[in-house]
Amino acid sequence: MDRIYNATRTKKIMAKYDLTMKKSLGQNFLVDGNIVKKIVDGARLQKDDKVLEVGPGIGSLTEEVLLRGNSATSIEIDSRFYPILRENFQRFNNFKLVEGDALNDEVWKEANEKPEPNVFMGNLPYVITTPLLEKIFTRSNRFKTVVVMVQKEVADRMTAAPGSKTYGALSVFVSFFSNAKTLFTVSESSFIPRPKVKSAVVKMELKAPEVDGKKFMKFVHIAFNMRRKTLLNSVSKGMDLDKKESLKMITNCGIDPDVRAETLELKSFLRLYENFKQFL
Ligand code: SAM
C-alpha cells in the first residue's frame, strides 16, 4: 500500500472520510516523502528513542517513525482523525494516540506515561507554535532532541541573533533552552492544502537551564513587552518598580539602561534576571 505521505493516498483518505481541512487548526498535511524522511533523519533516532508528536493529522510523519521501529505517542485535537489513525496504525503495537489539546496539562500527563518520550517531533499547527514551544522547553523531564516544522518566519525568529530585526523573546528562549539550527526550508508545494507561506524545520538539542526556566521566560517577556521602550522603562513599568532602583540594578549589570531589549544577548538577560528575579 502507498505511504500516507503519497499525495494520491492522502487524497483518497480525505475523500473516504469526507474531510475538509480546518484552517483554524493549522491543517496542512505533508505529502512529500523526501521532507518526511529528512525530518525524521534530523532527529537521529536511536533504537530505544520514543517520540512525542503533536498534531499527527492522518499520520504521514508518524508512519515514518513507526516504520523505523521507534515508538510514537501522538497528541491530536481533531476527533475526525482518530478513526483514521487507529485504522492506519493498528498493525503497530508501539503507537499511542492521545486525544485532546496539546496545550492542556492533563493531556500532556497522559502523553508522558512511562517510559516517557525523550524526543519531540512535529509539523506544528502554527496557531499554537509559541505556547507549545514554551511547554516543550519547560517539561520537567527534558527532551534530548526537538525537531519541529514551523513557518519560515517563526524559524527565523527562533534562530535570530541579537540586534537583528527578527530577534525577540522567542529567540532568547530558544537559545536559553537549546542549541538550535534550521535544518532546511520547505516549499508550499509539499503540503495539501498549500499554505500561503514557506516553512522550515528547526532542530534543537535541549540543555539544562541555568536558572528557573518559567521565571526566566516571565522576565524576558516583560523586557520585550514594550518593544519601542528602553530596557529601563520596560522593566520598571512592567514590574511596577521604582525607576531609580531599576536604573541602579541595570547599571550594576554593566548594561546601558537606554538600550532596547532586542539588542541584548542571552548572557545579559541572565545577568539582569539574577538582579530582578526577587521581584518577579
Ligand atoms: N503531522 C501532519 C502532517 O505533517 O501531515 C499534520 C500536521 S498539521 C500542520 C497540524 C496538526 O495539528 C493537525 O492535525 C491539527 O488538527 C493538529 N492540531 C492543531 N491544534 C492542535 C492542538 N491544540 N493540540 C493537538 N493537535 C492540534
Side-chain angles (χ1 to χ4, degrees), residues 50-55 71-76 95-120 132 135 139 141 143:
K50 185 174 173 187
V51 171
L52 178 60
E53 180 193 25
V54 162
S71 304
T73 297
S74 303
I75 306 176
E76 175 57 61
F95 172 67
K96 177 179 163 145
L97 173 63
V98 177
E99 305 176 356
D101 181 347
L103 294 181
N104 180 309
D105 286 335
E106 288 306 310
V107 170
W108 268 70
K109 251 187 223 155
E110 192 187 335
N112 281 333
E113 213 175 60
K114 292 208 164 55
E116 289 184 54
N118 61 341
V119 172
F120 184 94
L132 187 60
K135 231 173 158 38
R139 180 190 188 235
N141 196 353
F143 291 108

Side-chain angles (χ1 to χ4, degrees), residues 63-104:
E63 182 180 50
E64 181 67 21
V65 172
L66 295 172
L67 283 173
R68 292 189 188 198
N70 290 91
S71 304
T73 297
S74 303
I75 306 176
E76 175 57 61
I77 198 169
D78 192 334
S79 58
R80 297 176 306 161
F81 304 150
Y82 302 161
I84 305 173
L85 291 164
R86 295 218 164 85
E87 182 185 320
N88 283 337
F89 299 144
Q90 63 186 355
R91 67 188 196 278
F92 295 100
N93 59 8
N94 49 356
F95 172 67
K96 177 179 163 145
L97 173 63
V98 177
E99 305 176 356
D101 181 347
L103 294 181
N104 180 309

Side-chain angles (χ1 to χ4, degrees), residues 25-30 55-57 60 76-77 81 101-102 123 125 128:
L25 292 176
Q27 291 175 348
N28 300 95
F29 290 167
L30 251 178
S60 59
E76 175 57 61
I77 198 169
F81 304 150
D101 181 347
N123 170 12
I128 61 162

Side-chain angles (χ1 to χ4, degrees), residues 39-248:
I39 293 174
V40 182
D41 286 346
R44 293 188 186 280
L45 293 175
Q46 306 292 304
K47 195 170 136 275
D48 293 327
D49 283 345
K50 185 174 173 187
V51 171
L52 178 60
E53 180 193 25
V54 162
I58 58 172
S60 59
L61 202 56
T62 329
E63 182 180 50
E64 181 67 21
V65 172
L66 295 172
L67 283 173
R68 292 189 188 198
N70 290 91
S71 304
T73 297
S74 303
I75 306 176
E76 175 57 61
I77 198 169
D78 192 334
S79 58
R80 297 176 306 161
F81 304 150
Y82 302 161
I84 305 173
L85 291 164
R86 295 218 164 85
E87 182 185 320
N88 283 337
F89 299 144
Q90 63 186 355
R91 67 188 196 278
F92 295 100
N93 59 8
N94 49 356
F95 172 67
K96 177 179 163 145
L97 173 63
V98 177
E99 305 176 356
D101 181 347
L103 294 181
N104 180 309
D105 286 335
E106 288 306 310
V107 170
W108 268 70
K109 251 187 223 155
E110 192 187 335
N112 281 333
E113 213 175 60
K114 292 208 164 55
E116 289 184 54
N118 61 341
V119 172
F120 184 94
M121 211 182 280
N123 170 12
L124 298 188
Y126 69 96
V127 261
I128 61 162
T129 301
T130 308
L132 187 60
L133 285 174
E134 292 184 11
K135 231 173 158 38
I136 292 167
F137 290 149
T138 53
R139 180 190 188 235
S140 57
N141 196 353
R142 207 171 48 251
F143 291 108
K144 65 170 179 176
T145 306
V146 175
V147 179
V148 286
M149 173 135 69
V150 295
Q151 293 188 328
K152 164 90 172 48
E153 171 263 326
V154 176
D156 290 345
R157 285 199 279 129
M158 288 169 73
T159 53
S164 68
K165 250 200 209 147
T166 44
Y167 187 72
L170 183 61
S171 332
V172 180
F173 300 155
V174 168
S175 65
F176 172 70
F177 286 105
S178 77
N179 294 314
K181 67 170 175 190
T182 298
L183 295 181
F184 52 90
T185 54
V186 184
S187 82
E188 298 88 328
S189 60
S190 297
F191 303 90
I192 291 180
R194 285 170 78 114
K196 289 213 170 67
V197 294
K198 282 203 170 10
S199 304
V201 174
V202 179
K203 176 176 185 174
M204 289 168 278
E205 304 282 7
L206 299 202
K207 53 189 184 186
E210 294 169 51
V211 295
D212 181 314
K214 282 192 181 148
K215 270 180 106 176
F216 179 71
M217 285 205 289
K218 189 173 170 194
F219 176 70
V220 175
H221 270 307
I222 291 170
F224 276 100
N225 231 347
M226 296 178 247
R227 259 192 106 77
R228 258 167 255 112
K229 291 236 184 317
T230 62
L231 178 68
L232 175 61
N233 279 332
S234 303
V235 171
S236 56
K237 286 219 173 75
M239 296 177 79
D240 202 15
L241 293 173
D242 175 65
K243 210 166 169 180
K244 267 192 198 149
E245 192 63 26
S246 304
L247 176 69
K248 215 161 102 190

Side-chain angles (χ1 to χ4, degrees), residues 3-14:
R3 297 285 300 274
I4 299 168
Y5 58 58
N6 180 296
T8 314
R9 171 106 189 269
T10 287
K11 281 182 193 155
K12 260 192 203 151
I13 295 173
M14 286 167 65

